[in-house]
Amino acid sequence: MIDFNNIEKYRENNRIEAKKALGGLPNSIWETYSAFANSFGGVILLGVEEYKDKSLHVVNLPEPENMITEFWNTINNPKKVSVNILSDKNVTIHEVDGSRFISIEVPRANRSDKPVYIDGNPLTGSYRRNGEGDYRCTKEEIHAMTRDASVKTQDMLVLEEMGLEVLDYDSVRRYRIRMKNYRPGHVWEELEDEEFLYRLGALGRTSDGKMRPTAAGLLMFGYEYEIVKEYPNYFLDYQERFDEDNRWTDRIVSSSGDWSGNIYDFYFRVYNKLVQDVKVPFKLEGGDRIDDTPVHKALREALANCLINADYYGRQGIVIIKRKDSFCFSNPGGFRIDVETAKSGGVSDPRNAALFKMFNLVDVGERAGSGIPNIFYVWKKQGWFAPMIEESFEPERIVLSLHIGEGDDKKVAIKSSDKKVAIKSSDKKSLIKTEVKKMAIIEYLTEKVTAKTVEIAGLVGVKEARARKLLSEMAEEGIIVAEGANRNRYYRLK
């Protein structure tokens, strides 16, 4: 992650923290340890000083071995630190030009270990990283991490205070018809609704044997006005923004009152809108026309992931935005596994496992761990710009952005308002909105620390002249700073 022989080119950011530490192991190290563990991970540098120009320089620790011994003694003390997520390989002594310093690589903590806190109290000792500093977590953030730490997923909870009348049985009927079509002859097919919903995980038994909705059942089949009793922040919002002069040109919201407002009905209403303008090539199979493409499947997966992995107790709700050249899926809640692991596939840890099962039984959602890799694969095969994933805190939120744009000379045909439009690579500068390019640059500089104009141009798929203009705007906005001149100029986060 860091070239320790060129430490001066780095700056403190949300992944790097430098501490001079000549007076011994600084007590503030534990706040940073908690912050990195509860965020994206990071590197703590001991024996490194930050100059006034923000550059980092080694100061030479006199006895780094003793400091490491003290560090291990403290981190293994449960009265000081809730959990030690480090191993020997994470703590290293380096020497550059005769000066010695320590690096401590803190990984992102597993959800079962969160919140990682200090001084014996999660409410006052849990931290997260924001830019160059650590901040104390809010109660909302701590409760979200605690919910995710549970072995049982959130949606398995049996809602003992709710009766079966909170469910919309028209939604249940539509679900059963779809399941019968996709899984004819299933052993649950002839069951009465109550027993069917119990087998499905939409109902559960209380300690006195009464049948009550589960959280998954309420979300999947409940009425919106009943759902908000358990999830006060529950809100589903789909918007089409084809006209920049209007906030939206078409919209579906869960609170409109003219439909159930549950996530099952929302999925199919929204999916049909999402794919309405996606071109379907003429293809026959067994004499029948096939109206499904890899892009359709990727959009289904993106929508299902957004709904299945949302933290419905979280703020701001589900927001899906369709533009002429992009799709944006946004949900409350952070990743339960590392983002790179999610991209690689093979590992699945859905926030709402019961919802995942329900959707899967009606052919929505790929096999466990394959959803995100499949989306990236499809977009790459199309020659479009790579999907962008942004994870943020305060509040926790995941945003997946899918853009239609090419990196070569091929044409892509899409339909807009039933009129075909040919999109050439020469037009690609207009395909990704400026704010999305900036998001990609910020993400890149967070990981790589510094970059030259040519790297940024390649990252966002524009010419160097356009990249320079974009970087200049970001510098004026105080997001990044430029250092060096001419061909030696590079950029970093401010």
Side-chain angles (χ1 to χ4, degrees):
M1 184 176 180
I2 293 180
D3 177 5
F4 293 107
N5 291 315
N6 292 287
I7 200 77
E8 68 281 350
K9 76 176 184 179
Y10 295 92
R11 303 293 184 270
E12 285 191 336
N13 56 33
N14 68 338
R15 298 285 188 92
I16 299 175
E17 173 74 12
K19 300 181 184 294
K20 195 172 181 180
L22 290 180
L25 191 69
N27 192 52
S28 62
I29 191 176
W30 304 115
E31 294 178 4
T32 303
Y33 168 78
S34 167
F36 281 157
N38 290 327
S39 302
F40 307 113
V43 178
I44 302 172
L45 301 172
L46 301 178
V48 175
E49 181 180 11
E50 182 185 50
Y51 282 10
K52 289 183 178 181
D53 64 358
K54 300 293 184 178
S55 62
L56 303 181
H57 299 269
V58 178
V59 297
N60 189 30
L61 291 176
E63 296 179 327
E65 295 85 0
N66 293 343
M67 188 173 291
I68 289 177
T69 299
E70 182 184 355
F71 174 81
W72 285 122
N73 288 339
T74 307
I75 200 172
N76 288 313
N77 178 2
K79 293 183 179 180
K80 182 62 182 179
V81 181
S82 63
V83 60
N84 174 16
I85 61 172
L86 307 184
S87 63
D88 289 342
K89 68 179 182 180
N90 297 117
V91 182
T92 308
I93 297 175
H94 306 269
E95 183 171 334
V96 176
D97 296 330
S99 296
R100 297 198 297 170
F101 63 98
I102 299 169
S103 70
I104 302 172
E105 296 185 24
V106 182
R108 178 178 185 151
N110 293 327
R111 65 175 177 84
S112 57
D113 291 324
K114 292 181 181 179
V116 176
Y117 58 91
I118 62 175
D119 298 327
N121 189 338
L123 293 177
T124 59
S126 298
Y127 292 83
R128 272 186 167 157
R129 191 73 172 176
N130 184 7
E132 300 175 24
D134 310 319
Y135 71 89
R136 185 176 282 113
C137 292
T138 63
K139 287 184 179 180
E140 179 185 359
E141 289 178 294
I142 295 167
H143 291 159
M145 286 188 277
T146 302
R147 287 195 300 270
D148 278 342
S150 174
V151 175
K152 286 187 175 182
T153 59
Q154 298 176 17
D155 60 342
M156 294 181 182
L157 177 69
V158 178
L159 305 174
E160 299 189 8
E161 302 302 317
M162 287 190 171
L164 304 190
E165 71 279 358
V166 303
L167 303 182
D168 175 14
Y169 283 87
D170 284 338
S171 297
V172 175
R173 178 181 55 82
R174 287 189 289 273
Y175 180 92
R176 297 197 67 170
I177 292 172
R178 184 176 179 87
M179 183 174 169
K180 184 176 182 179
N181 290 335
Y182 279 92
R183 298 179 184 271
H186 194 279
V187 293
W188 298 347
E189 192 172 293
E190 301 302 324
L191 296 176
E192 295 295 325
D193 280 347
E194 187 171 306
E195 184 64 23
F196 173 81
L197 292 171
Y198 177 71
R199 301 282 185 92
L200 189 63
L203 298 181
R205 294 190 187 279
T206 61
S207 56
D208 59 1
K210 293 181 180 179
M211 204 75 85
R212 293 288 185 265
T214 63
L218 177 67
L219 290 164
M220 193 75 164
F221 304 119
Y223 293 106
E224 183 271 344
Y225 57 85
E226 300 286 2
I227 296 174
V228 295
K229 293 177 182 177
E230 175 64 24
Y231 299 99
N233 296 315
Y234 177 83
F235 188 66
L236 310 177
D237 188 0
Y238 169 78
Q239 302 175 23
E240 290 183 357
R241 299 183 183 179
F242 292 157
D243 183 354
E244 295 300 329
D245 294 329
N246 298 307
R247 293 181 62 187
W248 46 266
T249 51
D250 193 8
R251 194 176 188 191
I252 300 171
V253 294
S254 55
S255 58
S256 63
D258 56 356
W259 61 287
S260 67
N262 59 50
I263 67 171
Y264 178 72
D265 290 339
F266 180 77
Y267 173 88
F268 287 102
R269 283 172 174 251
V270 169
Y271 173 70
N272 291 330
K273 295 278 188 180
L274 285 175
V275 301
Q276 191 173 22
D277 302 320
V278 176
K279 180 177 180 284
V280 179
F282 185 79
K283 182 180 179 182
L284 293 176
E285 187 174 295
D288 297 323
R289 176 165 182 174
I290 305 302
D291 290 333
D292 204 16
T293 70
V295 175
H296 286 77
K297 294 176 183 178
L299 290 173
R300 285 201 298 270
E301 195 64 31
L303 180 56
N305 273 346
C306 186
L307 295 170
I308 290 168
N309 291 295
D311 180 357
Y312 288 97
Y313 290 104
R315 283 184 280 146
Q316 299 181 1
I318 303 280
V319 181
I320 315 292
I321 299 174
K322 177 183 177 181
R323 295 185 174 90
K324 290 182 180 180
D325 55 5
S326 68
F327 305 92
C328 181
F329 303 84
S330 176
N331 64 267
F335 271 97
R336 285 160 62 92
I337 59 177
D338 183 80
V339 176
E340 292 305 316
T341 301
K343 290 179 182 178
S344 300
V347 179
S348 178
D349 189 14
R351 175 168 280 108
N352 299 292
L355 289 178
F356 177 83
K357 171 187 172 182
M358 292 177 188
F359 273 116
N360 192 254
L361 285 170
V362 291
D363 200 39
V364 174
E366 297 295 325
R367 64 180 176 85
S370 67
I372 292 178
N374 183 59
I375 294 168
F376 274 77
Y377 174 77
V378 169
W379 247 244
K380 183 177 181 180
K381 288 286 288 184
Q382 293 293 323
W384 295 342
F385 294 105
M388 298 179 186
I389 297 177
E390 180 186 18
E391 185 178 10
S392 58
F393 301 122
E394 284 192 297
E396 278 192 301
R397 199 156 188 85
I398 298 170
V399 179
L400 169 65
S401 300
L402 304 175
H403 303 275
I404 300 173
E406 293 200 64
D408 54 31
D409 292 330
K410 292 184 294 182
K411 294 182 181 180
V412 178
I414 66 170
K415 293 195 299 180
S416 178
S417 301
D418 296 327
K419 180 180 179 181
K420 289 187 178 180
V421 181
I423 301 177
K424 300 179 181 180
S425 59
S426 60
D427 299 323
K428 64 186 178 183
K429 287 187 286 186
S430 64
L431 288 171
I432 295 183
K433 303 298 180 184
T434 299
E435 62 271 19
V436 178
K437 289 190 178 76
K438 291 178 180 179
M439 183 181 76
I441 294 170
I442 291 170
E443 182 179 343
Y444 186 79
L445 291 178
T446 296
E447 181 65 27
K448 302 297 183 180
V449 182
T450 63
K452 292 187 176 181
T453 303
V454 64
E455 296 176 65
I456 299 300
L459 173 71
V460 297
V462 299
K463 295 181 179 179
E464 286 190 48
R466 170 62 178 145
R468 276 192 291 272
K469 182 178 180 181
L470 192 62
L471 290 165
S472 177
E473 291 176 4
M474 294 178 70
E476 291 177 2
E477 294 167 4
I479 300 172
I480 63 173
V481 293
E483 297 186 351
N486 300 325
R487 293 184 179 180
N488 294 321
R489 175 168 294 172
Y490 62 88
Y491 298 86
R492 62 173 176 81
L493 295 178
K494 186 171 181 180

